[in-house]
Amino acid sequence: MSNNISRRAFLGGSGILALALAACGGSSDGGSADGAVYKIATDTVFAPFEYADVDGTYVGIDIDILAAIAADQGFEYELEPLGFNAALQAVQSGQSDGMIAGMSITDERKEIFDFSDPYYDSTVCCAALASGDIASLDDLAGKTVAVKTGTMSESWALSIQDQYGFTTVQFDDSDVMYQDVIAGNSVACFEDTPIMAYAIATGNVDLKLVAEVESDSEYATPYGFAVKKGENAELLAAFNAGLAAIMEDGTYNEILEKYVATA
């Protein structure tokens, strides 16, 4: 699956840190054979894919896609907002049954996880203070940049670290990473492009894009739903079937249009 929206500006309000529990069900056949409620891990702040609204309820593209698929396939789930790195660990350890968190499908991760069909195309980027003097990757020499642990954007940063001569500091969530740049502790941060575009477009951060990988880069990868390798095959199959259904009936596009500018 491919789409052309990953570089467009995002609409919507800012998210706040909060924990929420969500359950979704449907009337159609499917879901777990024994009636179990799946535990689905996600990130805490990764707008517009997952974030807490002013009421503390988790919303976003991932959250709505998961809810629509669960309704279509008739399974129930509990949403576990853990943070990206913690979600990875929860699925690997078997504490969570699956994960949807803007997770890039990579060959390395395929050794640990089984992925759904792709549901969104993304690239990664570097951003710096809008009012600062960082205008390109060349300006990062001898400076510290912020990265998010376990992400594709971190992998890109580490792959070019020696070439551009910067050091990195790790964070577990996007908002804290952004604040490190705004506070002047880091001069730039590396992030998924749609997430950074959303933050800039909504005025949540005073940052600007200074670099982005090409669409054919190994760091431009699609997002997928993930389960531990060799486990929860029924859940993965239900996700794929539900994804195909909501893409066919228009629900998928409606979800994207809810959060993404189409102009």
Side-chain angles (χ1 to χ4, degrees):
M1 183 276 295
S2 177
N3 60 65
N4 297 316
I5 62 175
S6 63
R7 298 184 187 180
R8 295 176 181 167
F10 287 88
L11 302 176
S14 62
I16 58 174
L17 281 174
L19 292 179
L21 185 67
C24 180
S27 58
S28 62
D29 293 335
S32 86
D34 60 2
V37 177
Y38 293 115
K39 295 181 178 180
I40 308 299
T42 190
D43 206 343
T44 52
V45 183
F46 201 59
F49 287 86
E50 46 265 343
Y51 60 100
D53 64 14
V54 294
D55 297 320
T57 301
Y58 272 82
V59 297
I61 293 172
D62 283 348
I63 309 306
D64 288 7
I65 285 176
L66 178 61
I69 289 174
D72 180 82
Q73 293 294 299
F75 66 80
E76 295 184 354
Y77 67 92
E78 293 178 354
L79 189 68
E80 300 180 318
L82 305 176
F84 187 80
N85 201 42
L88 291 172
Q89 296 174 20
V91 176
Q92 289 181 66
S93 66
Q95 295 178 6
S96 297
D97 299 304
M99 173 179 176
I100 186 166
M103 184 177 180
S104 297
I105 302 172
T106 67
D107 289 339
E108 182 179 8
R109 285 177 178 162
K110 286 180 181 178
E111 297 179 1
I112 304 170
F113 303 97
D114 289 328
F115 283 95
S116 70
D117 297 331
Y119 67 85
Y120 190 89
D121 291 336
S122 180
T123 64
V124 294
C125 68
C126 177
L129 278 177
S131 58
D133 56 4
I134 302 297
S136 71
L137 296 175
D138 292 326
D139 297 326
L140 300 179
K143 298 180 173 63
T144 300
V145 304
V147 296
K148 187 175 176 181
T149 306
T151 61
M152 184 57 63
S153 54
E154 179 191 33
S155 295
W156 180 46
L158 295 177
S159 75
I160 61 174
Q161 182 175 6
D162 291 341
Q163 177 183 354
Y164 291 99
F166 57 79
T167 58
T168 62
V169 58
Q170 294 178 311
F171 294 91
D172 286 331
D173 70 68
S174 294
D175 275 3
V176 178
M177 179 175 69
Y178 301 161
Q179 291 305 314
D180 196 68
V181 178
I182 292 170
N185 298 320
S186 303
V187 299
C189 61
F190 285 76
E191 178 66 287
D192 284 24
T193 306
I195 311 308
M196 183 55 65
Y198 175 91
I200 293 172
T202 55
N204 294 337
V205 293
D206 186 28
L207 300 176
K208 63 184 177 183
L209 292 184
V210 297
E212 179 183 0
V213 300
E214 297 294 331
S215 59
D216 60 353
S217 166
E218 65 180 296
Y219 300 103
T221 54
Y223 292 162
F225 177 83
V227 298
K228 186 177 180 180
K229 193 170 185 65
E231 298 187 11
N232 286 308
E234 186 178 58
L235 173 59
L236 192 62
F239 187 95
N240 281 336
L243 178 61
I246 67 171
M247 294 180 77
E248 176 68 24
D249 68 15
T251 302
Y252 173 84
N253 285 336
E254 291 175 2
I255 291 171
L256 292 186
E257 289 169 4
K258 179 178 177 181
Y259 297 96
V260 182
T262 57

